[in-house]
Amino acid sequence: MRTEHRPSAATARPTPWQWLYYAFGGRLPRRLSAWVLADTTGPGWARRHLTRSVVQLSPLVALCMVVPVGVGYRLTAALGGLVVGLMYSLALMVETTEHRVAKAGYPAGTAARLREERAERARTARVEQRHPYRVGGAGSFD
């Protein structure tokens, strides 16, 4: 199991083909584990998850657009499939990203813990910015 959870700025990135394989649920090489962790925990992780979902749904949308029926039916089927797929993707977003992180070799719960730590640091920074006398936890709100 991995013990290092902080990716460096020089983290290796996947090639476009590797990213496409990853977007469809494939496991990346072990050397890209830090990138997977950064992808699923860094700022914008939900947006990247939805991007991967749209890529996964694109073959279905393309198939709907070539069925030999009226344009209205094709657009309705494509949009309906996309909306339903994205709803399921949003409902299972945390579980899906945890599964990606586990496939990269990290313990279960790592992604959620790192996202919560980042959110806590942001909350603390906002409080310290609004109330400078509380820097470092000193002082009180009384």
Side-chain angles (χ1 to χ4, degrees), residues 9 33 57 71 92 109 126 132 134 139:
S33 292
L57 292 167
V71 174
L92 299 170
R126 281 192 305 272
R134 290 204 38 94

Side-chain angles (χ1 to χ4, degrees), residues 3 6 35 37 39-40 45-46 54 62 65 68 70 79 88 94 131 138:
T3 56
R6 302 277 186 235
W35 180 86
L37 187 63
D39 181 58
T40 56
W45 72 273
V54 168
M65 295 308 293
L79 184 61
Y88 275 100
V94 173
H131 307 286

Side-chain angles (χ1 to χ4, degrees), residues 76-135:
T76 302
L79 184 61
L82 186 62
V83 167
V84 169
L86 288 176
M87 283 178 16
Y88 275 100
S89 178
L90 284 170
L92 299 170
M93 183 165 50
V94 173
E95 292 84 356
T96 302
T97 55
E98 284 298 334
H99 183 69
R100 286 183 187 278
V101 169
K103 284 195 314 186
Y106 293 96
T110 300
R113 182 179 51 78
L114 290 177
R115 285 191 299 266
E116 182 55 37
E117 287 173 2
R118 182 172 42 86
E120 182 61 32
R121 283 191 304 272
R123 281 190 294 271
T124 301
R126 281 192 305 272
V127 167
E128 288 177 354
Q129 184 180 12
R130 274 187 257 136
H131 307 286
Y133 64 90
R134 290 204 38 94
V135 172

Side-chain angles (χ1 to χ4, degrees), residues 22-95:
Y22 169 73
F24 278 96
R27 181 188 310 241
L28 290 177
R30 193 58 81 181
R31 67 181 174 79
L32 295 172
S33 292
W35 180 86
V36 171
L37 187 63
D39 181 58
T40 56
T41 61
W45 72 273
R47 177 186 39 82
R48 288 189 298 275
H49 172 79
L50 289 175
T51 300
R52 286 190 299 270
S53 298
V54 168
V55 168
Q56 289 174 352
L57 292 167
S58 62
L60 173 69
V61 170
L63 181 63
C64 288
M65 295 308 293
V66 298
V67 174
V69 295
V71 174
Y73 291 116
R74 287 185 287 186
L75 289 174
T76 302
L79 184 61
L82 186 62
V83 167
V84 169
L86 288 176
M87 283 178 16
Y88 275 100
S89 178
L90 284 170
L92 299 170
M93 183 165 50
V94 173
E95 292 84 356

